[in-house]
Every structure is written in structure tokens, then in C-alpha cells.
Amino acid sequence: MTKQQANWSPYDNNGGTCVAVAGADYCVIAADTRMSTGYNILTRDYSKIIKLADKCVMASSGFQADVRALQKVLASRHLIYQHQHNKQMSCPAMGQLLSNTLYYKRFFPYYSFNVLGGLDNEGKGCVFTYDAVGSYERVGYSSQGSGSTLIMPFLDNQLKSPSPLLLPAKDAVTPLSESEAIDLVKTCFASATERDIYTGDKLEIVVLNAGGIRREEMDLRKD
Amino acid sequence: LQVMDSAPVENSLMSSESDIQRTQYPYVTGTSVVGIKYKDGILLAADMGGSYGSTIRYKSVERLKPVGKHSLLGASGEISDFQEIMKYLDELILYDNMWDDGNSFGPKEVHNYLTRVMYNRRNKFNPLWNSLVLGGVKNGQKYLGSVSMIGVHYEDNHVATGFGNHLARPILRDEWHENLSYEEGVKLLEKCMRVLLYRDRSAVNKLQIAKITEEGVTISQPYSLKTFWNFSAFQNPTVGAEGSW
């Protein structure tokens, strides 16, 4: 009598790539809009980005059903926070909440690879990067998802932050201007689209700064 | 030699005496559903086959059903789970009507409800083994969405389940455009269903096309597609095989 094997998996990888770059007084968060399963494209127009709070935006790729459920949990927790504290959650606070929410399902994880971007309490750009079970770190830039292996080395080359071990502490945020950072992000995606089959169709960019929040779109290759 | 058995290891994905109830395989299944947006609303198509493995056991299964006033549901996968989903939806619509407040669930709301049901069952490792297509019109807004058995969901101008994703979506990507007329939409769907009939072994040549507009739902009487089997490549199909391995 052989042991019964599982015949379905509760997980799927719906692909996609996310990037975030922190500036002195802005933050750029970007993700492609392709949703795939296996070698099929399900839709070319699916947003992976969600605004969680006034100064906090999250981009997630991975298993779409888990991503959506995670977004809903965070959005509802933020609503409760607003009712209790009569203010918006700061980006670092949301960063901690996301980590705790992910670890809560440590033994049946959200298959979701996240980057959180926004402005900290001083108005400086901040980016937090996560794994699927909640380990996280504040960084100057990050990428997650299927194209991250292609994009991260490029970002390291262009934006490498000083080590957090250095004394005196140096800023992790990039000295680039907002428009230079956006161009850099567009270049990242155009390149990743060439070689990653799960990245493409359209790029959605969200920019947060003192003036508020702005959205931009760019076409990517559809093949 | 007597060996004392310790408690059998119960991995959550494998069953034992105590949880025979969990879904392991589908038994009676429906194949692809294809849906498109057109000028006045949504068109869905599905054949009427219910397969029991490789046998086509049932040939009059209605896989397209209206939901409330504003939505149409098409299902592929396990037919009994589809019937269960219809029970849940009937209850949902009943409670919505009981409010008697002039408001009624549109396709967006029904799609969201179905997504949550499918995802929650997946979380309990006891999925409803279906891929669903939900289409509808409310207040002039057209909506077409899809949900899978593990809760993956999206909306688009055209959707399909199962084999439809492989065979119908490419045709739709090439030939779908905004403001298709009803006749153009039906022709396009029939083209997709014909290809599926030729190439999907679980397809049967008896289908229904359902239409939903602001005015309401119409589900056609079952009918068959004309097929052509005299392509020259099918005559002497083995002629090119001689000499090959």
C-alpha cells in the first residue's frame, strides 16, 4: 500500500516583478501588469500595486490569490488603526505590520514577495524589502519577483548604498533626482522584459513625494 | 513479531480514515468555458458535456446559469461542486433580496464573493474543484471575471477556463475588439468553440451561448456546430510517417 500523494498544489506562481527606489524626498514604486500561470498569460492588465496609506504603497508579486488576501488584511488593519488613532499609518509602522502579518502564517505562508515604498516620518524616501515569511529590512532600493535576479544586480551597480555598518551612518537613499530615478526604473523593466518570460505587457509606476501621489504607465514588450 | 503501530502520520495533503471527506480528485467534469465582452454586454459559451474520466457520461449538462438580476456564471470542473456553488449563490441572492432596499448585487460583488469562497476552501485544503467565469452588466458597466479553484482571479475583456486558455484566448487576442455586435460576438465564440471541439477530447458538439445585457439574461437552446473533417492533411495521415522512427 503506497502512501497517497497530493494531486493538487495550494500554490501557483502568477509571476511578475516589483521594484522600489527611495530618494531624498520621494519614493518610486513600480511593477509590471502581466499575470501568468505556467506558460500562459491570463491577463496583460493586472495591477500589483496598492496604496495602503497616504504615504505608503506596496507592490507584491507571487501567488496572486495570496497577494490579494494579504492586501485585504493590511487594508482592513489600516482602517482599524485610523479609527483607533485618528491618523494615517506611517510607512515604517506599516512595514512592521506587514512583517508580522507574513510571519503569522509562517507554517502556511502567503506566497507573496513584497516591496513596501513610501515616505518616513521625516519625509525621506523609504523602501522595505521582504521575503515570503516576513523577514525584512529597510533599504535604499529593492526588487522582488521573477525578474528580480535580473534587476537587482543592475540596481546594485547603479545605486549601491553604503553599508549600514559604516560609522558615521550614511544615507541609504539615492542622490538621484526623481526623474532620473524614474528613468532608471523604466530601464530596469525594459531589460528584465527581454529575458524574463513572466515580465512584460505594461509597467505601472507610482511616485510618492511631498506633493502627493502620482501614477505613470509605460508599454513593455508583449512577447 | 508484534509491531506496535504509532498513530499514522497525517500530512495535510494526504487522507486517512479520519478525513475521507476532503476533495482529492474531480469525478464528473465539464470542460472549457469562454466569455467575451461585446457592445451591449457579455457573451458566454460552454458545451453541455459532463465527462467521467475519459467517458462522456452526460451530454445535457447546463454549465451556464444566471445569478440574480445582473450576472451569469459559467463553470468548468467538478459538476457537483458547481451545483454546490449555485446553492451558495442562491442563498447569497436571497439574503440580498431580503434587505428589500432597491439595491442588488452586481457582477463585481458576486465575483468577489466567489473569489473569497474559493480561496477559503483552498486554505482548508478542501477546494471546490472548479474554474468559474462570471460575467454581467449593471448600470451600463460591463464586467467579466474568472476565478480558479485556488482563488486566482482576474477580469479582462475576454476570459476562458481550461483548454480555452490555450486554444481560445489566442484567437480572442487576435480578433476581439471593443463594440463587437451581437452577431460578430457569437461568430467569434463559435470559432473558439469549433477549435475546442476539434482539439479538446472532452468537448462535445452540443453547446449553449448565453447573453447578458442591461435588459437581462438569455441562454440559448442547445445546438451543434458544423464541422469539416475533409482537410487534406487528414487523408492518409500516416503517409509522412514512413521511414521515420
Side-chain angles (χ1 to χ4, degrees):
Chain A
M1 193 66 173
T2 45
K3 202 153 77 159
Q4 207 192 10
Q5 300 289 341
N7 43 41
W8 66 282
S9 166
Y11 291 112
D12 190 13
N13 188 354
N14 301 117
T17 307
C18 310
V19 166
V21 175
D25 60 352
Y26 66 87
C27 189
V28 178
I29 300 98
D32 69 326
T33 63
R34 173 175 287 179
M35 191 172 131
S36 338
T37 175
Y39 284 114
N40 288 351
I41 295 176
L42 290 174
T43 185
R44 298 186 189 277
D45 196 15
Y46 189 83
S47 177
K48 298 184 186 59
I49 302 182
I50 187 176
K51 180 183 129 175
L52 291 172
D54 273 350
K55 301 208 171 132
C56 184
V57 170
M58 178 172 81
S60 322
S61 77
F63 174 44
Q64 185 257 3
D66 273 350
V67 166
R68 218 8 130 227
L70 179 64
Q71 289 174 346
K72 276 173 158 256
V73 167
L74 294 172
S76 98
R77 287 299 298 273
H78 184 234
L79 191 60
I80 294 168
Y81 182 96
Q82 286 178 282
H83 289 150
Q84 289 175 339
H85 304 283
N86 196 23
K87 66 175 184 181
Q88 293 277 319
M89 260 175 104
S90 68
C91 194
M94 187 59 86
Q96 185 68 59
L97 178 64
L98 172 54
S99 170
N100 293 152
T101 307
L102 290 167
Y103 197 80
Y104 193 77
K105 281 190 25 103
R106 170 66 178 76
F107 299 110
F108 182 19
Y110 289 111
Y111 191 79
S112 170
F113 298 97
N114 312 291
V115 286
L116 198 68
L119 302 171
D120 66 13
N121 293 312
E122 294 162 16
K124 275 208 226 132
C126 68
V127 170
F128 295 94
T129 189
Y130 296 79
D131 72 358
V133 287
S135 86
Y136 82 117
E137 188 189 10
R138 181 172 177 173
V139 289
Y141 59 91
S142 182
S143 75
Q144 291 285 351
S146 57
S148 68
T149 48
L150 299 166
I151 292 177
M152 205 57 184
F154 175 62
L155 252 27
D156 283 335
N157 176 262
Q158 299 290 308
L159 299 175
K160 184 81 183 202
S161 331
S163 165
L165 302 167
L166 274 178
L167 283 173
K170 279 230 190 98
D171 242 339
V173 301
T174 177
L176 289 180
S177 74
E178 191 182 293
S179 52
E180 285 173 330
I182 292 172
D183 270 347
L184 185 71
V185 164
K186 289 180 177 175
T187 307
C188 286
F189 274 88
S191 312
T193 302
E194 293 289 320
R195 292 289 181 174
D196 176 25
I197 61 173
Y198 297 110
T199 302
D201 293 330
K202 232 177 9 191
L203 170 62
E204 190 186 1
I205 305 175
V206 171
V207 184
L208 269 124
N209 53 31
I213 196 165
R214 194 176 94 244
R215 220 180 135 261
E216 240 184 84
E217 262 184 12
M218 182 182 93
D219 273 346
L220 295 170
R221 281 180 67 153
K222 294 183 180 340
D223 62 358
Chain B
L1 239 195
Q2 273 205 332
V3 181
M4 290 289 281
D5 247 24
S6 52
V9 171
E10 282 187 33
N11 179 291
S12 54
L13 282 170
M14 294 175 282
S15 75
S16 67
E17 292 301 316
S18 55
D19 53 12
I20 279 169
Q21 304 293 329
R22 286 193 179 160
T23 306
Q24 301 292 349
Y25 321 91
Y27 286 90
V28 178
T29 55
T31 185
S32 325
V33 178
V34 187
I36 56 173
K37 283 187 188 169
Y38 80 107
K39 184 159 64 73
D40 305 324
I42 313 288
L43 286 168
L44 292 190
D47 69 21
M48 302 190 75
S51 304
Y52 184 65
S54 53
T55 325
I56 296 177
R57 174 67 183 84
Y58 301 101
K59 294 198 198 172
S60 296
V61 180
E62 289 184 19
R63 297 197 289 118
L64 303 172
K65 296 276 185 189
V67 178
K69 290 203 282 277
H70 306 284
S71 313
L72 257 182
L73 175 65
S76 66
E78 172 63 55
I79 299 297
S80 64
D81 282 348
F82 174 46
Q83 290 169 344
E84 187 77 354
I85 287 168
M86 287 312 299
K87 276 179 75 182
Y88 288 144
L89 287 174
D90 287 341
E91 191 184 32
L92 180 77
I93 300 298
L94 177 71
Y95 277 87
D96 185 36
N97 288 340
M98 289 294 105
W99 287 107
D100 196 24
D101 59 359
N103 201 347
S104 50
F105 283 149
K108 237 180 163 41
E109 288 80 46
V110 178
H111 185 226
N112 187 258
Y113 173 77
L114 287 171
T115 303
R116 288 302 110 213
V117 168
M118 302 302 273
Y119 184 69
N120 274 286
R121 288 290 295 257
R122 163 264 185 199
N123 283 348
K124 296 193 285 197
F125 283 93
N126 189 199
L128 289 160
W129 206 287
N130 296 105
S131 288
L132 307 169
V133 171
L134 198 293
V137 195
K138 191 171 170 209
N139 297 333
Q141 295 277 37
K142 297 185 283 245
Y143 186 91
L144 181 60
S146 173
V147 197
S148 80
M149 68 184 250
I150 48 173
V152 172
H153 59 282
Y154 63 100
E155 18 156 345
D156 209 336
N157 295 318
H158 45 77
V159 299
T161 67
F163 260 92
N165 266 317
H166 294 97
L167 298 172
R169 289 305 283 292
I171 298 174
L172 295 169
R173 288 221 170 88
D174 199 26
E175 299 186 22
W176 183 91
H177 56 86
E178 292 267 16
N179 296 321
L180 285 161
S181 72
Y182 173 71
E183 289 73 27
E184 287 173 323
V186 171
K187 228 172 135 219
L188 188 52
L189 277 181
E190 284 185 346
K191 184 172 182 180
C192 294
M193 297 305 284
R194 186 171 291 106
V195 172
L196 286 165
L197 182 60
Y198 285 136
R199 292 294 179 177
D200 177 4
R201 75 160 186 185
S202 15
V204 298
N205 195 2
K206 184 174 169 195
L207 69 145
Q208 289 178 302
I209 295 204
K211 161 172 83 96
I212 182 164
T213 63
E214 194 73 55
E215 281 74 56
V217 173
T218 320
I219 302 181
S220 75
Q221 285 294 88
Y223 69 104
S224 299
L225 295 170
K226 284 200 176 44
T227 56
F228 181 74
W229 297 96
N230 280 331
F231 289 107
S232 58
F234 295 157
Q235 322 303 348
N236 283 326
T238 58
V239 71
E242 285 161 49
S244 65
W245 63 269

